[in-house]
Amino acid sequence: MDSNTGAPAATLSVGSIISRTWGTLMKKPGVYLGICFVFGLVATLINVGLTLANPMLGSLLGNIISMIINLLGGAAIVYVAFQDLRDVRMGLKEALIYVSGRLVPLFLVALLSGLGIGIGMLLLVVPGIFLACIWIVAVPACVVEKLGPVDCLRRSMELTKGYRLTIFGALVVIVVAFIIFGAIATFLGGAVLTMTTSIAVMALTAALLSLVLTLIPSAMLTLITAILYADLRSAKEGISKESLAEVFD
């Protein structure tokens, strides 16, 4: 039960998680998709530009800058989602001001989890998938609870314990959709090869097609972290989603 409102704790299932994530996206599609598109576009243009300028160093630098930009966008979506839980209208400017103050810990959370998951993927994939499931709510913990990088990972491990198989199932649904739309983008990008010989045009077109066609699953992959965080705290600690959003007051 909710310790503040007496409401029943959330029930977690693959279907309920996907349904709540989709419902949240559709409540304000322009806001969530818009944030994803704007940040994704800036990251894409910078990444492609640096890569074309210097395929080795530029690509590395572009990936790092893209990660920071997309991380800001993702954290902004999490912030807006929690404000939306209590019907507070929040603009992108306010969201950016808030998450900018958490940029360093957010970057370190992404770096640590990314390295761990990456190494896990190299070790027969399964360890990487496991780490992705247990650390999935580390960013919301960083945004909402203002924890340090290592504490965010520990907090996520604590909250996801007992629900990791369900989380895995929900992630599979969204990742499959992401892969399908990504494959369509790759196919269409291949068609561009027959229409131009410009490497810059080909690279930019392929990147933009991928950005646009994967916009919805990308937004859902970010939103699901906020939904899971809220549902896990409701299920484990009896705290309502509205109460969680009060930390921003």
Side-chain angles (χ1 to χ4, degrees):
M1 300 290 287
D2 188 330
S3 58
N4 293 317
T5 67
T11 300
L12 269 73
S13 67
V14 173
S16 68
I17 293 169
I18 296 298
S19 176
R20 277 194 282 272
T21 303
W22 179 256
T24 301
L25 176 62
M26 289 298 101
K27 190 174 180 181
K28 291 182 177 179
V31 174
Y32 295 121
L33 294 178
I35 291 175
C36 265
F37 179 75
V38 170
F39 280 86
L41 179 62
V42 173
T44 296
L45 292 175
I46 291 175
N47 200 358
V48 171
L50 289 174
T51 300
L52 289 173
N54 189 317
M56 292 185 65
L57 183 60
S59 178
L60 176 62
L61 183 59
N63 284 328
I64 293 174
I65 294 175
S66 294
M67 184 181 80
I68 294 173
I69 293 172
N70 284 317
L71 189 62
L72 268 175
I77 286 177
V78 169
Y79 179 73
V80 172
F82 274 101
Q83 294 291 1
D84 190 36
L85 291 172
R86 54 180 182 158
D87 295 322
V88 173
R89 295 180 64 86
M90 186 59 56
L92 178 58
K93 180 181 178 181
E94 292 83 358
L96 281 178
I97 290 173
Y98 182 85
V99 300
S100 293
R102 301 292 298 158
L103 181 57
V104 173
L106 280 168
F107 176 76
L108 292 176
V109 167
L111 182 63
L112 291 174
S113 61
L115 286 173
I117 293 169
I119 293 172
M121 287 295 184
L122 294 175
L123 300 175
L124 302 178
V125 180
V126 175
I129 295 174
F130 177 71
L131 289 175
C133 290
I134 69 174
W135 287 340
I136 190 170
V137 295
V139 168
C142 187
V143 173
V144 177
E145 299 181 56
K146 300 181 180 179
L147 301 174
V150 175
D151 287 334
C152 287
L153 299 180
R154 289 174 179 164
R155 180 63 166 148
S156 185
M157 291 174 67
E158 171 191 322
L159 288 173
T160 56
K161 187 175 182 180
Y163 293 95
R164 290 163 189 167
L165 188 59
T166 301
I167 291 170
F168 172 73
L171 284 177
V172 166
V173 173
I174 298 178
V175 170
V176 167
F178 192 95
I179 291 173
I180 291 173
F181 284 103
I184 294 173
T186 300
F187 173 78
L188 293 176
V192 177
L193 294 174
T194 64
M195 295 183 286
T196 180
T197 58
S198 170
I199 296 177
V201 171
M202 286 188 290
L204 185 58
T205 302
L208 290 177
L209 279 172
S210 179
L211 170 65
V212 172
L213 291 177
T214 61
L215 202 56
I216 291 178
S218 292
M220 289 192 70
L221 275 174
T222 301
L223 271 176
I224 198 173
T225 65
I227 300 301
L228 279 170
Y229 176 79
D231 284 352
L232 287 168
R233 289 203 64 181
S234 177
K236 288 200 159 191
E237 301 171 352
I239 299 176
S240 73
K241 302 174 183 64
E242 293 77 11
S243 298
L244 285 175
E246 292 175 1
V247 301
F248 300 117
D249 289 336

